[in-house]
Every structure is written in structure tokens, then in C-alpha cells.
Amino acid sequence: MTMIMARCSFSSLEAIHFQRMRYCVLAIIALFAVPLSAQTPAGQQVAPAPEGAKTQLPSPIKVIVNEKPVAFEGQGPKEVKGRVLVPLRAIFEALGAYVEYDSVFRKVTASVGADEVSVTIGERIATHNGVQMVIDVAPEVANGKTLVPLRFIAESLGAKVDYDDKTRTITISTKDTPPEP
């Protein structure tokens, strides 16, 4: 804009008008520069957290299989679209499952007794005992770990799954072990 001003000859009245327009544009930009995170989807203002206050993150999700806590190394359980994904190695070992991984097709197959379940990373189509079905959330890779939907996998392998929302604890019981009292 300054190059255009240098080439054009403005009268003093036009220059004043141009300067006022410039201030108006800057004022409008400043009004829209309010952080969008300070508003709810309905457009209501949200009071900012007091300075120095810590934002409370949800507590980590705990998984218990047959009354024993499952330890996850590196990547823990993760909530995606209301479903819990867990690193497959830890959960399959806890369930006593035999696991195969096809690196070409990125397909994981697990079996316990006569029950078999297969999932493919990034795909919502899964197979349970030869029957294809659509699952809510696709398996994914995070921090070098393959994460699978916990409830689908556990129930497909014959386990009972309960979730305590208050403590964010998932309790899994297999047929061989009685559930917690």
C-alpha cells in the first residue's frame, strides 16, 4: 500500500480519509482476533482459568484382567470416539491369546480356544469366527504400538467387559475366572 501512496498524489482530505479507513480496518481485525477457544460452540463466553491454575486432565484408564492390573509400557490405553483402544500385546497376553501379525496386510489375528478375531490397522471391518462386521473405531498405531478396540477384542475372545466411569477402570473377566464380587 505504501508504494501506491507514493505514486498517487492525494489531497490532504483524501490522505486523512485513507488514514481513518486504515484505523477502521485495524480495529475490525483486532475485534476478530479474540481467541476462539474462549467461546463455547453456542457462542457463550467462558471464563478463563485463573492464572497459575492447572487444567485437570482425565485420569488414566486402568485395565484389570481376571483381577490383575494390566501394565502398559510406553503407550497406555487411549479413548477414541468413546471407545478405548489398548496396545494389543499387553491385552492379548493378559487374555492368554495366541497372536499372529501379517505385516504385509497390517492384519492382527488373535485366538483363544475356538474363538478367533482379526482386525486390520486403519480398517473398521473386523472378522469374528469367520463373520465380517463393522467396528466403531479402527485399530491404529500410536508411539510405535498397535492399538486395538478393547471391548470388541475381549468380548470376541469370550471375555466379559465392565467399565466404571467414575474410576475409569475397565474390568475384564474370562470364562475360566469368576468375575469380581
Side-chain angles (χ1 to χ4, degrees), residues 48-56:
E51 202 167 311
K54 293 183 180 178
T55 305
Q56 177 136 5

Side-chain angles (χ1 to χ4, degrees), residues 15-30:
I16 292 170
H17 178 69
F18 179 78
Q19 191 67 23
R20 284 185 182 160
M21 289 291 289
R22 189 171 141 212
Y23 287 128
C24 288
V25 169
L26 290 174
I28 290 170
I29 291 171

Side-chain angles (χ1 to χ4, degrees), residues 84-159:
V84 175
L85 300 179
V86 294
L88 72 89
R89 178 180 299 276
I91 200 65
F92 285 153
E93 286 177 358
L95 291 171
Y98 172 76
V99 182
E100 291 180 13
Y101 179 70
D102 182 338
S103 61
V104 174
F105 294 103
R106 297 175 50 149
K107 181 178 179 181
V108 179
T109 302
S111 60
V112 173
D115 290 314
E116 182 178 274
V117 62
S118 296
V119 293
T120 303
I121 296 169
E123 299 288 330
R124 288 185 48 220
I125 302 294
T127 306
H128 176 237
N129 292 335
V131 178
Q132 283 192 340
M133 56 191 62
V134 178
I135 54 178
D136 295 333
V137 179
E140 63 182 57
V141 176
N143 297 321
K145 305 284 184 178
T146 301
L147 304 179
V148 294
L150 178 61
R151 181 176 293 275
F152 172 75
I153 295 293
E155 288 179 348
S156 294
L157 296 176

